[in-house]
Amino acid sequence: LETKGVLGKIRAELRASVFTAIQEEETYDKVETDALRDLRATADGRLLLELVRELLAALGLDFTASVLVPEARLPADAPPREELARELGLGAARLANGAGEAP
């Protein structure tokens, strides 16, 4: 199971489930660090967090993303990829060529 990656996926799903259960019982006001608060306070910081979410999605790390979103207080719905590309100054041609997509 380990060589096929099944155990890793089960572990990630278990961590995400435990985190979700804890999240339902606690608020994140207690655990938000100054660094995260400062990052979320700027447009560039929020863009960076969304870019990390996009990276996790592209890599298929859904369970990791399910922990990141509430912990970083990101909106439940990610902005469209085109919107991120526009904010980063990446052209539509680059998106059309599949640049940045996971192999």
Side-chain angles (χ1 to χ4, degrees), residues 30-72:
K30 296 183 248 177
V31 296
E32 184 176 44
T33 64
D34 290 339
L36 179 59
R37 190 176 309 110
D38 292 346
L39 189 65
R40 290 178 56 243
T42 67
D44 285 347
R46 290 186 300 274
L47 180 60
L48 178 62
L49 288 168
E50 290 297 349
L51 195 56
V52 170
R53 180 184 1 204
E54 174 64 27
L55 173 66
L56 294 175
L59 296 176
L61 298 173
D62 300 329
F63 299 119
T64 304
S66 73
V67 172
L68 171 72
V69 169
E71 192 169 28

Side-chain angles (χ1 to χ4, degrees), residues 51 81-82 84-86 88-102:
L51 195 56
R81 183 176 231 194
E82 293 76 18
L84 286 176
R86 183 177 38 76
L88 291 167
L90 300 176
R94 185 171 173 130
L95 281 174
N97 291 334
E101 291 190 81

